[in-house]
Amino acid sequence: MKSTISRTSFNRRFNDSVEGMATDATDIKDAVHAVDAAALMRLLPARPRLLALGEPTHGEDALLDVRNELFRQLVEQEGYRTIAIESDCMRGLVVNDYVTSGTGTLDEVMEHGFSHGWGTSAANRALVRWMRAYNARADHDGRPPSERLRFAGFDGPLEITHAASPRQALTALHGFLAARLDADLLPCTAKRLDHLLGDDDRWTEPAAMTDPARSVGQSAEAGQLRLLADDLVALLDAQTPHLTATSSRNDWDRARLYERTATGLLRYHHWMADTSPARMTRLCALRDLMMSQTLLAVAERGPAFVHAHNSHLQREKSTMQMWGGPVQWWSAGALVSARLGEEYAFVATALGTIRHQGVGAPPPDTLEGLLYALPENRCVVDTARLATVLGSTPPALRVSPWFGYAPLDPARLAGSDGIVFVKDIPRTPTP
């Protein structure tokens, strides 16, 4: 392949590839579009309940700026009302309270409402500010609840080095039930939970990620907590008619979030204490399972825009090289897609350069190299048409010199509904 490819030659390849096909086959102009919500929607058979946009690396505001603009257009043109991002689901409640009702201040929300250190991102701050302004803009009373934008974190309270204590979610679930049901129905008291939970530092011990013996997850207390959590969830389910009649929709949704998070964290901690070879595979799978459960709950409230790493949103299994070797598991996107079918859509993001991270121009024989040769700085690509252009032999897989960036696998084009391509990623300014 030549080192560059012009729009004319790319069109010629496309036209040659569709020769003999149906007469409505068009040239490459119908496969490459400006980056906007309308272009994304044209790739899909219908408006999905979950429209997921992936990113191949984290921490770059240039990619989050694209996300923000697409969300704004989806709100204004397509009726989307929720954005869900790869951040702690419990912390996300702080952000949602602010954007829906103005609770707290923007500085407080950015400090306490995001995990992974993403509250320092100027693009995330701009997103939260815009959502709050949108909700407060209609007349002087703000928009009615049904029209307000909502924010959700859909990651578990998990970091690379540790998992959170189940205290916050478990005690919140117990408190929700205790406030609405006779005390005799509850399997334990709040004091009993507090005693079994003990010091939160036991749960968040960083060394437990690489040393199962340092995990509290299979202690006698943790085992009792898993049983009590199961009883609390059963009580929540058994009392659904009463609880939904005596609670607001928001309170009920939060109770379900508490139960998913409490049981998910206890399960995650249990397997952190595991010593089998499948330990890391289980932990990665459990994280994405928690993600998928929250995304499905988000979808129940109406169409939502989702943003996370490509590996969490793709329809195929995800893979990662860990200290103990390679692991493979079903991503949140794969799990959600299996449940929602065409009501789940996934658009991957690909990029050309991140020069400040040592990622230069992509080799011309890679998928990113082919897209990098196009004149557009940003574009939306129809993957079905692109696959036709490429034919039966996919481009080479790009190899990243930096561990924090994962190139797209050209053999997996069929698993995405489109690609957003960003040519060059400038350095994110230091806040």
Side-chain angles (χ1 to χ4, degrees):
M1 183 178 290
K2 296 180 180 180
S3 60
T4 60
I5 179 170
S6 68
R7 168 59 71 89
T8 300
S9 62
F10 196 78
N11 284 349
R12 186 179 301 117
R13 284 187 64 187
F14 180 85
N15 290 330
D16 289 346
S17 70
V18 299
E19 185 176 346
M21 293 173 62
T23 57
D24 63 349
T26 53
D27 63 18
I28 193 61
K29 293 179 181 179
D30 289 330
V32 178
H33 314 277
V35 178
D36 57 39
L40 291 184
M41 300 306 289
R42 283 195 294 269
L43 299 177
L44 310 174
R47 184 182 72 169
R49 274 199 279 168
L50 291 179
L51 173 54
L53 175 68
E55 63 176 4
T57 186
H58 286 320
E60 300 296 341
D61 272 8
L63 297 179
L64 302 188
D65 289 338
V66 173
R67 175 204 68 186
N68 291 354
E69 179 59 21
L70 286 172
F71 180 56
R72 183 187 67 79
Q73 294 175 11
L74 288 167
V75 168
E76 296 174 350
Q77 301 170 20
E78 300 292 339
Y80 281 70
R81 289 292 178 266
T82 300
I83 186 168
I85 75 166
E86 185 186 339
S87 184
D88 184 333
C89 58
M90 296 293 287
R91 291 193 182 201
L93 298 175
V94 175
V95 185
N96 190 59
D97 284 344
Y98 177 77
V99 300
T100 56
S101 60
T103 302
T105 68
L106 181 57
D107 285 343
E108 291 169 343
V109 167
M110 300 313 297
E111 181 179 357
H112 302 294
F114 291 85
S115 59
H116 311 309
W118 292 337
T120 62
S121 161
N124 282 335
R125 189 181 186 90
L127 171 68
V128 174
R129 183 189 296 114
W130 178 79
M131 292 176 70
R132 177 62 199 145
Y134 180 94
N135 285 339
R137 196 157 53 224
D139 300 321
H140 295 291
D141 297 326
R143 298 182 188 274
S146 62
E147 295 180 12
R148 291 177 193 166
L149 304 185
R150 299 179 58 82
F151 178 95
F154 74 92
D155 200 353
L158 308 169
E159 297 284 353
I160 296 298
T161 57
H162 66 274
S165 164
R167 176 184 301 279
Q168 181 184 7
L170 194 56
T171 57
L173 173 61
H174 185 278
F176 174 85
L177 294 169
R180 293 163 176 81
L181 300 173
D182 292 339
D184 291 345
L185 291 176
L186 273 70
C188 66
T189 64
K191 184 177 180 179
R192 175 63 174 161
L193 284 182
D194 182 67
H195 173 73
L196 291 172
L197 286 162
D199 190 338
D200 283 348
D201 289 345
R202 298 191 311 150
W203 298 92
T204 58
E205 167 61 63
M209 182 53 71
T210 54
D211 182 1
R214 300 291 294 273
S215 172
V216 72
Q218 292 189 18
S219 64
E221 293 86 354
Q224 292 180 59
L225 285 169
R226 290 190 76 186
L227 291 173
L228 289 173
D230 183 71
D231 284 339
L232 289 171
V233 173
L235 184 59
L236 188 73
D237 290 338
Q239 294 292 328
T240 295
H242 169 72
L243 294 172
T244 53
T246 56
S247 306
S248 69
R249 173 65 187 270
N250 285 342
D251 287 343
W252 175 249
D253 285 347
R254 289 192 176 203
R256 303 304 313 199
L257 174 62
Y258 299 150
E259 62 95 352
R260 291 193 305 272
T261 305
T263 55
L265 278 174
L266 286 166
R267 188 180 298 117
Y268 191 91
H269 279 288
H270 176 86
W271 288 108
M272 282 186 73
D274 180 45
T275 58
S276 76
R279 175 177 182 265
M280 289 310 303
T281 296
R282 283 197 178 96
L283 292 180
C284 290
L286 287 174
R287 180 187 178 192
D288 273 70
L289 175 62
M290 291 176 69
M291 286 182 168
S292 71
Q293 291 170 338
T294 297
L295 285 178
L296 290 170
V298 166
E300 292 177 2
R301 299 219 37 167
F305 186 49
V306 181
H307 189 257
H309 198 279
N310 286 329
S311 63
H312 290 304
L313 299 177
Q314 65 192 26
R315 290 185 172 94
E316 301 87 0
K317 279 188 172 181
S318 297
T319 59
M320 182 181 294
Q321 183 68 35
M322 305 292 285
W323 53 85
V327 295
Q328 187 179 74
W329 71 97
W330 288 110
S331 70
L335 297 172
V336 170
S337 180
R339 294 282 295 275
L340 296 184
E342 289 189 350
E343 291 189 294
Y344 176 76
F346 167 57
V347 176
T349 295
L351 56 82
T353 71
I354 324 173
R355 297 188 189 279
H356 55 279
Q357 297 290 4
V359 181
D365 62 342
T366 64
L367 175 62
E368 288 86 352
L370 183 65
L371 297 175
Y372 194 75
L374 295 174
E376 289 83 0
N377 290 323
R378 297 176 178 178
C379 60
V380 170
V381 183
D382 183 332
T383 49
R385 292 186 178 278
L386 180 61
T388 301
V389 171
L390 299 175
S392 59
T393 303
L397 176 64
R398 185 183 190 183
V399 177
S400 173
W402 176 51
F403 73 93
Y405 158 59
L408 289 187
D409 184 347
R412 292 184 167 185
L413 279 180
S416 65
D417 297 291
I419 296 172
V420 170
F421 182 73
V422 181
K423 198 168 213 176
D424 299 295
I425 305 296
R427 183 187 296 271
T428 298
T430 302

